Amino acid sequence: MLMNLSRKYIYLLVTLFSIFFLSACSVRKERTLFYAPSDIVTDTIKHVYVVNDQGISDAYYKIKISDQLAVRNVQNPEFGATLSTGVSGASANNVAAAGTSQNILSFPVEPDGMVNLPAIGKVGVVGLTRREATIKIQDLYKQKLLKDPIIELTVVNLKVTLLGEFGKQGNFLLEKDNTSLIEIIGEAGGITKTADPKTLKIIRGDRSHPEIIYVNLTDINSLASKKLILQNNDIIVLQPTKGSALSEKLQSFNNIVQPLLVVVNLAVLIFTVTR
């Protein structure tokens, strides 16, 4: 009788561990944000792999209607300084965490393509790059108000979102043209110890049919890809290693099995003592 009970006990353990290890293959998939069928390439990708390639975007962002422009004169810190960032709520906190230099007043680009600025009034900026708009605004301030101004212009609503195994997650401003993936990862404090550097992906463009860019961060040749120049509203996701995901699953499994083992051991002990 004792032998039969021990055998059932062993069978139970074998069954439980078999179920666990069979499910372990899909552990990381369960934790993957924005899973796509093409994510299987991460196990074999060498450098950069693109799904739904939409070509190379313009190197320099062109100002659009509804953009928020922050304008200040570098020679006069008080010029343009306020408590507003143009980004509200949780996003404002993330912006601060990302290392924004200071909070400055932002002005919306109106539907007519104009931005209304102090002292100089409305200025047409839609379709201009940040540099072109800066030069135009700087010249107007020089003509009407300031002596030899040095104008700094930032489009404060341009951002990317980092999710997953980064030092910091959240929204990060694209404060300059040609901001690279590596620069933003640096602002986020790098990647975590449990990150799998072969699984980074960038989700870009139309959300119903996005371009997906897979990046192998372990290969230095990945850095040469122009696809790693970030675009407004990019979502950057990094998965944990299979080992760390499995370890977390094992911990959850252990929390379930331990009470069961206590009950079984107690039953065996009672049977042995009362036999």
Side-chain angles (χ1 to χ4, degrees):
M1 182 68 176
L2 181 59
M3 185 175 295
N4 288 337
L5 187 58
S6 299
R7 189 175 293 130
K8 289 179 181 179
Y9 175 59
I10 293 172
Y11 286 160
L12 176 62
L13 289 178
V14 170
T15 301
L16 288 173
F17 278 104
S18 297
I19 292 172
F20 169 72
F21 282 110
L22 285 174
S23 65
C25 298
S26 61
V27 170
R28 189 166 68 179
K29 180 179 175 181
E30 292 174 3
R31 295 186 57 190
T32 299
L33 296 172
F34 310 119
Y35 176 76
S38 51
D39 285 358
I40 57 173
V41 303
T42 56
D43 291 329
T44 57
I45 184 175
K46 299 298 182 184
H47 310 306
V48 175
Y49 179 79
V50 183
V51 178
N52 298 332
D53 196 338
Q54 297 169 11
I56 300 297
S57 301
D58 290 338
Y60 298 99
Y61 180 80
K62 301 217 176 140
I63 295 170
K64 299 177 176 60
I65 290 171
S66 297
D67 278 345
Q68 295 281 337
L69 306 186
V71 179
R72 74 184 185 99
N73 180 16
V74 174
Q75 295 173 312
N76 180 5
E78 295 301 317
F79 178 85
T82 75
L83 296 177
S84 172
T85 61
V87 183
S88 61
S91 295
N93 294 330
N94 289 326
V95 166
T100 303
S101 57
Q102 70 175 57
N103 295 336
I104 54 179
L105 177 64
S106 63
F107 303 90
V109 180
E110 304 293 348
D112 60 1
M114 313 284 277
V115 58
N116 193 10
L117 298 174
I120 62 174
K122 290 196 169 187
V123 182
V125 292
V126 165
L128 300 181
T129 65
R130 284 185 269 202
R131 177 174 174 76
E132 291 168 344
T134 299
I135 293 171
K136 184 174 183 177
I137 292 169
Q138 186 169 277
D139 288 344
L140 289 171
Y141 272 115
K142 184 175 182 180
Q143 293 171 22
K144 298 185 178 184
L145 182 68
L146 302 171
K147 181 181 178 181
D148 298 324
I150 301 176
I151 295 297
E152 181 181 86
L153 184 149
T154 305
V155 187
V156 299
N157 56 287
L158 303 187
K159 63 178 178 59
V160 296
T161 302
L162 271 62
L163 299 171
E165 302 297 312
F166 296 102
K168 289 182 288 187
Q169 300 185 68
N171 295 329
F172 291 78
L173 287 185
L174 296 178
E175 295 186 327
K176 65 182 184 67
D177 289 315
N178 296 316
T179 300
S180 71
L181 172 67
I182 299 306
E183 288 177 289
I184 288 295
I185 291 177
E187 283 191 33
I191 65 177
T192 66
K193 293 180 179 179
T194 57
D196 185 343
K198 295 182 180 180
T199 65
L200 187 140
K201 67 180 175 183
I202 303 170
I203 303 171
R204 175 173 296 168
D206 181 4
R207 296 302 187 232
S208 62
H209 190 65
E211 178 182 44
I212 305 177
I213 304 160
Y214 295 92
V215 185
N216 181 352
L217 291 176
T218 66
D219 196 310
I220 195 169
N221 294 310
S222 297
L223 300 180
S225 175
K226 293 182 178 179
K227 286 289 187 179
L228 303 193
I229 299 300
L230 298 178
Q231 307 297 320
N232 187 33
N233 291 323
D234 279 354
I235 299 173
I236 305 166
V237 182
L238 184 60
Q239 299 177 21
T241 61
K242 291 180 179 178
S244 64
L246 190 62
S247 176
E248 186 174 315
K249 187 80 172 182
L250 181 58
Q251 182 61 47
S252 299
F253 177 79
N254 189 49
N255 291 339
I256 296 171
V257 170
Q258 270 192 337
L260 180 61
L261 293 181
V262 170
V263 172
V264 172
N265 283 328
L266 183 59
V268 171
L269 178 61
I270 293 173
F271 177 82
T272 303
V273 170
T274 58
R275 184 170 175 268

